[in-house]
């Protein structure tokens, strides 16, 4: 097997089953946080099919005390809360309901990015940020060429949209400075449709996901994503 090339930040782990590896990693991180300090565990979650599968698997982990977990959104589509496209609906269906409830899910309200930014700023750090990878290399709702990706300064939450129109809906998203507040950022990349974007990132292309920096970054990738 060719030597695994490393992403621009963090470490890449090829795994057989991305949702299973994700659940194990979150449970380990949760336990480590509990031994580090009392209090709540903060987690920023994503949307998408990979995220849904990851949360459904994670919800089966009985080692996590969900009553001490605060969920925040990494990004949101600006649609009603119960719209099938809403990430908050995906998270409620795949994680909040199956676990019997979390301490708090703080949804994004698209008409007030500054309020969400203040919420994130008050956290100071986020224990775990979960990110997906789009076929175009986007992550959260930071799309190639989007203003939210290129925003100067330290804004933590911005309105966003995909200038190509390929990814629908007006959005709201954590920015790179907000993602950098993650003690651990976990990318989940599953299936051959992600091979192109992953190869471009490993080849050094400046795609949005390649710009993510944080204390620790781990890419969980299955064989389909690695080999196409
Ligand atoms: C969104 C997501 C987005 C997603 C990736 C991967 O709101 O669409 O946050 O960043 O994580 O597009 O989605 P899939 O796993 O469905 O390919």
């Amino acid at each position: 097997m060719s030597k695994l090339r490393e992403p621009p930040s963090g470490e890449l782990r090829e795994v057989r089953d991305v949702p299973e590896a994700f659940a194990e990693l979150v449970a380990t991180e949760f336990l480590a946080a509990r031994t580090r300090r009392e209090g709540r565990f903060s987690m920023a979650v994503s949307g998408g099919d990979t995220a849904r599968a990851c949360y459904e698997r994670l919800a089966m982990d009985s080692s996590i005390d969900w009553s001490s977990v605060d969920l925040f959104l990494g990004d949101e589509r600006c649609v009603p809360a119960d719209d099938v496209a809403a990430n908050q609906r995906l998270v409620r269906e795949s994680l909040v309901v199956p676990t019997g409830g979390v301490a708090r899910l703080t949804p994004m309200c698209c008409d007030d990015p500054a309020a969400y930014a203040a919420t994130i700023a008050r956290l100071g750090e986020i224990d775990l940020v979960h990110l997906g990878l789009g076929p175009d290399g986007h992550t959260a709702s930071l799309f190639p060429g989007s203003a939210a990706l290129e925003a100067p300064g330290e804004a933590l939450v911005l309105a966003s949209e995909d200038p190509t129109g390929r990814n629908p809906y007006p959005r709201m998203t954590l920015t790179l400075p907000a993602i950098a507040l993650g003690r651990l950022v976990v990318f989940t990349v599953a299936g051959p449709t992600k091979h192109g974007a992953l190869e471009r990132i490993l080849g050094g292309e400046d795609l949005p996901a390649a710009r993510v920096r944080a204390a620790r970054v781990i890419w969980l990738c299955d064989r389909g994503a690695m080999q196409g």
Side-chain angles (χ1 to χ4, degrees):
M1 178 189 298
S2 64
K3 181 181 176 316
L4 289 185
R5 289 171 293 159
E6 291 305 312
S9 168
E11 67 171 287
L12 184 149
R13 297 179 184 175
E14 182 174 342
V15 296
R16 182 184 56 79
D17 182 316
V18 166
E20 182 178 296
F22 175 77
E24 288 170 2
L25 187 52
V26 173
T28 301
E29 201 60 23
F30 175 83
L31 185 61
R34 296 309 291 267
T35 52
R36 188 169 60 241
R37 52 118 173 83
E38 282 303 307
R40 310 274 271 259
F41 184 83
S42 52
M43 182 170 157
V45 292
S46 271
D49 296 337
T50 308
R52 181 185 290 274
C54 287
Y55 302 151
E56 288 171 348
R57 178 63 184 78
L58 178 62
M60 296 161 62
D61 188 303
S62 58
S63 70
I64 296 172
D65 171 12
W66 291 101
S67 66
S68 66
V69 174
D70 286 324
L71 297 179
F72 300 88
L73 285 171
D75 68 324
E76 184 58 282
R77 293 85 176 279
C78 299
V79 295
D82 60 355
D83 189 300
V84 289
N87 287 344
Q88 65 170 297
R89 174 170 169 171
L90 180 153
V91 175
R92 291 187 200 282
E93 289 173 346
S94 61
L95 192 54
V96 177
V97 170
T99 56
V102 298
R104 184 169 186 171
L105 166 63
T106 304
M108 281 183 164
C109 177
C110 272
D111 59 16
D112 195 351
Y116 213 85
T119 299
I120 297 296
R122 278 194 297 274
L123 284 177
E125 62 181 14
I126 305 171
D127 288 308
L128 193 145
V129 177
H130 176 216
L131 295 175
L133 177 69
D136 59 357
H138 81 259
T139 193
S141 284
L142 299 171
F143 302 102
S146 66
L149 175 70
E150 305 299 344
E154 291 301 305
L156 297 178
V157 178
L158 289 173
S160 183
E161 62 183 12
D162 179 355
T164 71
R166 277 197 297 264
N167 293 278
Y169 312 106
R171 313 268 188 121
M172 186 184 277
T173 189
L174 294 188
T175 60
L176 292 173
I179 293 169
L181 297 175
R183 292 180 59 91
L184 171 62
V185 172
V186 182
F187 279 100
T188 51
V189 187
T193 63
K194 305 300 173 69
H195 176 65
L198 184 61
E199 277 298 296
R200 291 167 65 191
I201 289 169
L202 297 179
E205 193 170 336
D206 180 27
L207 296 178
R211 295 193 187 181
V212 165
R213 299 292 183 276
R216 291 167 61 210
V217 181
I218 295 175
W219 295 68
L220 300 176
C221 306
D222 67 9
R223 182 170 294 271
M226 294 293 295
Q227 302 198 2

